[in-house]
Amino acid sequence: MQDSIRLTPASYIVLGLLAQVGEATPYELKRLVAAGVGNLWSVQHAQLYSEPERLARAGYLTEHREPGGRRRKRYAITAGGRSALEAWLAAPTHELTELRDPGLLKLYFGGDPVALATAQLEAHERKLHDYRRTRATDPGDGPRGPWLTLDAGIGHEREWVRYWRRVRDAG
Amino acid sequence: MQDSIRLTPASYIVLGLLAQVGEATPYELKRLVAAGVGNLWSVQHAQLYSEPERLARAGYLTEHREPGGRRRKRYAITAGGRSALEAWLAAPTHELTELRDPGLLKLYFGGDPVALATAQLEAHERKLHDYRRTRATDPGDGPRGPWLTLDAGIGHEREWVRYWRRVRDAG
DNA sequence: ACCGTCATGTAATCGGTTACATGATTCT
DNA sequence: AGAATCATGTAACCGATTACATGACGGT
């Protein structure tokens, strides 16, 4: 129950998911991440074992082993966890994303624009179609958040496609 | 000279800058990063002390202390370093950026769209003006890479502005 | 039976971040 | 002269990634 650990984005992902689903094992968390937030902010599966432990030690989650079979650990959010999550949600942030794009980095240091653009275009177009398919099958009910961020993903993939096309065609 | 360390983006930033300027102290690297790549991919200043050491141990850089005064360490790229850099530059990548935007993450988990949009809009608009000012004063000669990535930055900030405006106005 | 992939987890490493420090300049 | 900021560096910690492992299950 030792408090005061630093809460990172990964922490909030765990807290946020557990707030939604009630309780889960690390493996279930992995599935949940893959089902949505994952293309927003990826988390290695190993971290979905260590992070809940950390959060539990700090009192944000409870942990108990399943009695039979694999004796897996199930985690659930506590009141403390919920209020930490809510405090975080309530504070809008001015922080900006960095681009942090490996392709751009190569471009910066002199990588061949056309070759980079070709490779990147392919990848971004694929991802864009991916997103669009997801959105097409989205019933549109359910919470607003995931839908809005999916929209962000689409907008950004489109922008990347535009960008790399420009680079390619200028080459 | 122990070889075979893993080269990370930070490594390539150091290699790339040293390839351009010949040699530098960590502090000078810090300035160089701030002058450009920094808004593409930020690097903590402390890492500009440790990373060159690592690279030097692995034979990608040479290191020697200045004789007088502060006895700072100056680093220069070796042939091995240069060829590692070039190999990296020559291989286009299919890797995609993730969004990794703290604001989006909050949105995903139910943060208030209008509040988030307001805060984010302000920050992105500022950054956009910033980039535009930079581009306005760019002579436009010099290597292509930085100019092209600046263009990416502008395109993306514009997309973010569009996006958050939509979110705000839909709220 | 065998092979591959999914399910599930632990251990070790290490890059990157944060915190701490101190001298030199510049501004008020 | 004192405050603030820039210049310059070291040390410690720890979150995140990589590597390693093993059992179950579906298909051929």
Side-chain angles (χ1 to χ4, degrees), chain B residues 89-160:
Chain B
L89 282 177
T93 175
H94 287 255
E95 252 178 304
L96 293 179
T97 330
E98 282 168 47
L99 268 48
R100 291 227 166 219
D101 183 284
L104 269 195
L105 200 54
K106 293 189 183 200
L107 191 56
Y108 185 92
F109 284 116
D112 175 44
V114 175
L116 283 168
T118 306
Q120 290 288 111
L121 263 175
E122 195 202 322
H124 283 294
E125 272 164 354
R126 184 192 315 285
K127 189 71 177 173
L128 178 55
H129 288 143
D130 207 49
Y131 280 152
R132 287 203 164 121
R133 212 155 18 76
T134 302
R135 189 169 63 180
T137 60
D138 185 313
D141 52 355
R144 219 72 209 110
W147 196 89
L148 287 172
T149 55
L150 180 55
D151 210 39
I154 291 177
H156 278 74
E157 289 304 328
R158 287 188 19 188
E159 172 61 23
W160 279 117

Side-chain angles (χ1 to χ4, degrees), chain A residues 6 26-27 30-31 45-46 49 70 72 100:
Chain A
R6 229 172 346 214
Y27 189 70
K30 179 191 165 193
R31 315 287 303 281
H45 88 277
Y49 291 86
R70 289 179 179 270
R72 291 179 302 181
R100 287 222 170 226

Side-chain angles (χ1 to χ4, degrees), chain B residues 62-78:
Chain B
T62 62
E63 163 188 331
H64 33 262
R65 302 191 89 89
E66 295 177 337
R70 291 178 175 269
R71 305 184 45 71
R72 292 179 301 181
K73 293 176 184 168
R74 320 204 107 250
Y75 294 93
I77 195 167
T78 65

